[in-house]
Amino acid sequence: MELRMEKAGIRAMLHRQLLSFFPLDEDEAVRLDSFFDEALARCDKCFSKVRNKYYGHGGVTRFDPLHGCQWAAFLYFLSNSIYRADGSCSICDKLYAIGKAMSAADLFYQVDLPEVFMFDHPLGSVMGRASYSDYFSFGQGCTVGNNKGIYPSFGESVFMLSDSKVIGDCRIGNDVIVTAGAYVKDADIPSGSIVFGQSPNLVVKAGKRDYVREHAEKVFRYE
């Protein structure tokens, strides 16, 4: 992966951001360094599948810590890697807080986002404790949340457009676009669909897999 900064510069940037808001003890600093390369590797895997010009060129994945979405993804992968290995700890909470401050998106480290996902202009988006699959994408103002403690599940290649919401006991199939402003609550959406409207009066256009795949190929690399 091509880095805009040397690793030492990225580490220094990370430490400076954290220290601007929180105290950072020696144990937390060790955790950051211990999982730093793993987080970069997860970024490499994720970003290599994104077609956006800022994520790579000529078959080489690029990581730019000054790119807001890339940095937010890195902070999520780092905090999630630490959490999966060590359980909840103070440094995870601090990374989570920094991520929200820097991107205005809520990507909680205990939530298992997929290894390949994409978000653009994610201000005001909240990704709750759903079951996600690869090639998931969301934009600004999107919400994934629970109803009565039950969260949605998503198939592969689901695209949540701006201000869309998926709440509660929902099973979203593969190759689905949840259109801008749509609100899906306690509803199942079949694969190959485009969803409009508000529950319980959704408009689901089925049989649109080719259209969704055409859109998906503009966002992700599937080879």
Side-chain angles (χ1 to χ4, degrees):
M1 180 166 59
E2 179 184 279
L3 303 177
R4 177 169 176 174
M5 299 178 182
E6 297 292 333
K7 286 185 180 181
I10 298 172
R11 281 193 176 95
M13 176 177 162
L14 174 64
H15 282 245
R16 280 197 300 270
Q17 285 185 2
L18 286 164
L19 287 167
S20 295
F21 291 90
F22 309 107
L24 189 64
D25 64 34
E26 183 176 349
D27 180 65
E28 291 171 334
V30 168
R31 277 193 168 90
L32 290 176
D33 290 341
S34 296
F35 290 91
F36 182 86
D37 285 340
E38 179 178 326
L40 284 181
R42 292 177 70 182
C43 284
D44 189 19
K45 179 179 179 180
C46 181
F47 297 170
S48 70
K49 298 297 185 180
V50 176
R51 288 194 183 276
N52 186 290
K53 63 183 180 181
Y54 297 108
Y55 286 75
H57 54 84
V60 178
T61 306
R62 185 168 190 247
F63 175 44
D64 181 357
L66 301 183
H67 185 289
C69 292
Q70 293 185 17
W71 188 243
F74 170 76
L75 293 173
Y76 165 75
F77 282 133
L78 180 57
S79 58
N80 179 254
S81 291
I82 295 171
Y83 171 73
R84 293 194 306 188
D86 294 349
S88 183
C89 59
S90 60
I91 192 58
C92 296
D93 291 326
K94 293 173 183 179
L95 290 166
Y96 169 57
I98 292 293
K100 286 194 293 183
M102 297 298 291
S103 69
D106 192 318
L107 308 178
F108 189 43
Y109 58 85
Q110 292 185 15
V111 174
D112 286 322
L113 293 172
E115 290 299 300
V116 178
F117 69 99
M118 165 67 176
F119 54 95
D120 199 18
H121 306 292
L123 286 76
S125 291
V126 180
M127 296 294 109
R129 298 172 185 266
S131 173
Y132 300 91
S133 299
D134 281 336
Y135 306 106
F136 176 74
S137 175
F138 65 92
Q140 63 267 34
C142 294
T143 301
V144 174
N146 80 89
N147 181 35
K148 299 179 181 178
I150 301 175
Y151 285 86
S153 65
F154 294 88
E156 288 194 353
S157 301
V158 175
F159 300 85
M160 293 184 64
L161 305 189
S162 61
D163 297 307
S164 60
K165 297 173 175 59
V166 180
I167 305 294
D169 189 9
C170 302
R171 284 175 290 278
I172 312 298
N174 301 320
D175 303 309
V176 171
I177 296 175
V178 184
T179 60
Y183 174 44
V184 182
K185 178 183 176 185
D186 296 333
D188 293 346
I189 306 299
S191 295
S193 297
I194 305 174
V195 187
F196 302 84
Q198 312 281 314
S199 288
N201 301 309
L202 292 172
V203 175
V204 179
K205 294 190 175 182
K208 296 294 184 178
R209 184 179 185 277
D210 289 346
Y211 179 89
V212 178
R213 293 299 296 182
E214 182 179 352
H215 173 78
E217 290 286 352
K218 296 176 182 177
V219 180
F220 294 110
R221 292 185 175 88
Y222 287 85
E223 66 274 5

